Amino acid sequence: MHAAKPLFDYPKYWAECFGPAPFLPMSREEMDQLGWDSCDVIIVTGDAYVDHPSFGMAIIGRLLEAQGFRVGIISQPNWQSKDDFMKLGQPNLFFGIAAGNMDSMINRYTADRKIRSDDAYTPGGQAGKRPDRASLVYSQRCKEAYTDTPVVLGGIEASLRRIAHYDYWQDKVRRSILMDATADILLYGNAERAIVEVAQRLARGETVEQITDVRGTAFVRRDVPEGWFEIDSTRIDRPGKVDKIINPYVNTQDLQACAIEQEKGPVEDPNEAKVVQLLPSPKIERDRTVIRLPSFEKVRNDPALYAHANRVLHLETNPGNARALVQRHGDHDIWLNPPPIPLTTEEMDYVFASPYARVPHPAYGGEKIPAYDMIRFSVNIMRGCFGGCTFCSITEHEGRIIQNRSHESILHEIEEMKKLPGFTGVVSDLGGPTANMYRIACKSPEIEQHCRKPSCVYPGICENLNTDHSSLIELYRKARALPGVKKILIASGLRYDLAVESPEYVKELVTHHVGGYLKIAPEHTERGPLDKMMKPGIGSYDKFKRMFDKYSKEAGKEQYLIPYFIAAHPGTTDEDMMNLALWLKANGFRADQVQAFYPSPMASATAMYHSGKNPLRKVTYKSEGVPIVKSEEQRRLHKAFLRYHDPKGWPMLREALQRMGRADLIGSGKNQLIPAHQPATEGYQSARRKNSTPVGSKKAGQGGKILTQHNGLPPRSHDGNAWDKREEAKAAAEARRKAAAGGGKPSGKGRKPSQRPAVPR
């Protein structure tokens, strides 16, 4: 077994001595070539093995390798038996299990619970190469293969299932994945610190049962240990009527004191005059305090308690002040230590400086892996997101504190990328969870350490947030100046309400880093759903659009915003979707692909979806309910409003508008939403299909690129569809009218530039 090497020396040492790094072994033959008789750690993953820092198994594998451990990879094993899990032999320390870069259920099923036809993380995009709930299945197979070998769960699937959680696919609350997987310990979040400490302590001879003090870990235990103070979460955030007042500072292991508290009678009449005696409170050490959430059995049967537990969990996510959490499952407790301390810039640089091959393992024979093709020329510059969007799982996994790489580290990665085959000089993205949160943080470390707000930008930008974009602007300029770099694109989602705080940044972005269109996500126009999402009002979008158009014009470029919207999000009514559709039509947007709300485990919006309560506020049994869209029929209606221009949805929309008392929106007038008459549907194709050009067509873009509404190609007419002809004639007439009014020549292209279509998620 190898001893750990000193931190920060390995990548440089390896590169100087050996040159390009070999891949981590996936077979016995590769182990033999390296002279290994066994592996210290074997990582089992649901993704194809790509040795690139955008893939979790590569980061963890290289990090453990840098500490002197021998690491093997078992990628997308056949889970029907234990055989594939034994092909590298028994690891000396542990199996590391991860479903992959995506949750396995979200990877396999659409928001309508239909099976997807492909898998972007599999060679050839082939579906069916991983099981449902892959982390759970892989863990059980590893235990079957080698009963006495510890199993360490990690990755986003494990992170989002670390406590009792609502499962959208079964429509019920499931136990912590630790209980079902029979794993020994779970590492949540980006677990570099935790995985290194766990590996080193196991290598020193500790048992996995002894490792109970590592931040960012969850494990099973019988009871609260001595020396800890337990606080009932319902005393922090009381969900309903209380019959007895029990001192929250009593240690439940102190049976005598606990019995005294339990013998207290009912709450006295609040109107009765009393003598109040102030007693000194016992001093409690925060790092020796644990909050007890309602048990799995309680949250399974009581949606209000589920929402309460979700709220308390989100309040305890700041590494500076979070306390440990515990939740009972039958006769056992699931114990969650506080979140990991964010990596410093030097540590982030170290993680990304490992000698990644940056390509898929040769075992795939050059077969295309769609997810890799998408990111191979992109660079991750930071982690984390303080936006707090309730439908998003990034915050629950990576945290709200931004972890940044240095300019030097990022520029070095671009230099390494230039050596890859196929690089044309275009960097497809410099980003992360949010493109423009790089080096943005709280003005005061002390305030940040004590803050418990779920978002730094909702309902408005926090006065303590430093919104300086200068370091990011400087990074863009340095990257553009690198020899051999022709273009730097920004493809990560942009927080536009933050961007408008720096006009210089918006100008830099629009002038140099937009490839024709820029994707942003207002998500909705109406205050009801936006408040449940913790997103800014549509006015912020309008402000950003004015700046975007201004700087595009100054740069002499024709560029467009692509706004994304969500249908059927908690808090959304039919009227909200109708108003969104009217806004889309008034602004000339025709949504191609639409995204319905997808309840991912542990997200706040998912708690709303399951409970009908709002965990962004104190949850009580009497608190106001949240409108929830659950029926398949209503979900289809909300998606139809987003695609108001699609004739297939018009019958449903007509019926809904009449039911809502808005029949005035049915007709062919300028301010009406849908026509009164249905066109012939024979031969009709969806806007997405009819708006595509076959690969190889002379009309296709450079390199045979498929032109769709996503990149601005107007739809073409079809002889078999009279509605298309009418629409084209109307658009052409409007273009001629505008050209005549402006003294210019009509374009004859049909749609106005402002009517370039959008592609919501």
Side-chain angles (χ1 to χ4, degrees), residues 252 263 269 274 283 363 415 421 447 451 475 480 491 564 568 597 632 745:
T252 55
E263 288 176 0
D269 183 355
K274 307 178 185 66
K283 183 178 179 181
E415 292 286 0
I447 292 176
C451 181
L475 174 63
R480 289 202 310 270
Y564 284 176
F597 169 66
E632 186 176 341
K745 184 178 180 180

Side-chain angles (χ1 to χ4, degrees), residues 10-11 24 43 45 48-67 71 73 101 189-193 195-196 343 347-358 380 382-383 397-398 405 413:
Y10 184 81
L24 301 176
I43 297 174
T45 175
Y49 173 31
V50 180
D51 194 38
H52 188 285
S54 291
F55 286 75
M57 94 288 286
I59 287 182
I60 296 301
R62 290 298 186 188
L63 183 65
L64 289 172
E65 180 189 48
Q67 300 300 305
V71 184
I73 300 284
N101 275 13
N190 294 116
E192 286 92 351
R193 292 188 192 280
I195 195 69
V196 168
L343 298 183
E347 289 168 330
M348 282 283 286
D349 288 352
Y350 173 69
V351 168
F352 283 86
S354 292
Y356 302 99
R358 303 190 66 86
N380 193 333
M382 44 77 73
R383 285 181 185 166
H397 184 61
E398 295 193 352
R405 296 172 62 186
E413 184 170 345

Side-chain angles (χ1 to χ4, degrees), residues 349-465:
D349 288 352
Y350 173 69
V351 168
F352 283 86
S354 292
Y356 302 99
R358 303 190 66 86
V359 294
H361 191 279
Y364 303 120
E367 195 170 4
K368 295 289 186 182
I369 300 173
Y372 167 70
D373 290 342
M374 184 182 299
I375 57 85
R376 62 177 177 156
F377 298 131
S378 68
V379 179
N380 193 333
I381 65 174
M382 44 77 73
R383 285 181 185 166
C385 179
F386 50 70
C389 299
T390 60
F391 53 81
C392 180
S393 300
I394 292 173
T395 299
E396 285 79 14
H397 184 61
E398 295 193 352
R400 293 183 175 86
I401 297 175
I402 306 301
Q403 302 164 70
N404 310 280
R405 296 172 62 186
S406 69
H407 287 188
E408 293 73 21
S409 171
I410 295 165
L411 297 176
H412 175 73
E413 184 170 345
I414 296 176
E415 292 286 0
E416 292 299 307
M417 184 191 304
K418 288 160 55 177
K419 303 174 185 177
L420 293 177
F423 182 71
T424 62
V426 178
V427 177
S428 61
D429 188 25
L430 283 184
T434 304
N436 60 321
M437 288 187 180
Y438 180 75
R439 296 212 175 279
I440 292 182
C442 191
K443 296 175 183 177
S444 166
E446 290 76 19
I447 292 176
E448 179 181 76
Q449 184 177 0
H450 293 88
C451 181
R452 296 167 70 81
K453 291 178 62 176
S455 172
C456 300
V457 289
Y458 178 85
I461 295 176
C462 178
E463 61 181 8
N464 296 311
L465 186 68

Side-chain angles (χ1 to χ4, degrees), residues 228-242:
W228 283 77
F229 290 95
E230 180 181 309
I231 299 177
D232 189 333
S233 67
T234 59
R235 302 299 165 182
I236 300 172
D237 213 58
R238 196 181 305 275
K241 180 181 177 182
V242 178

Side-chain angles (χ1 to χ4, degrees), residues 489-511:
L489 296 173
I490 305 303
S492 296
L494 185 79
R495 190 78 194 201
Y496 54 86
D497 54 339
L498 196 61
V500 297
E501 297 294 309
S502 175
E504 183 185 6
Y505 171 75
V506 178
K507 183 175 182 178
E508 189 80 14
L509 175 76
V510 172
T511 304

Side-chain angles (χ1 to χ4, degrees), residues 3 62 73 96 194 251 268 271 399 412 429 442 449 493 541 546 585 623 656 673 679-680 694 696:
R62 290 298 186 188
I73 300 284
N251 186 344
E268 299 178 20
N271 297 318
H412 175 73
D429 188 25
C442 191
Q449 184 177 0
Y541 165 83
R546 289 193 294 271
K585 185 171 185 180
S623 58
L673 186 61

Side-chain angles (χ1 to χ4, degrees), residues 735-748:
R736 288 194 296 270
R737 185 189 67 77
K738 281 193 169 291
K745 184 178 180 180
S747 66

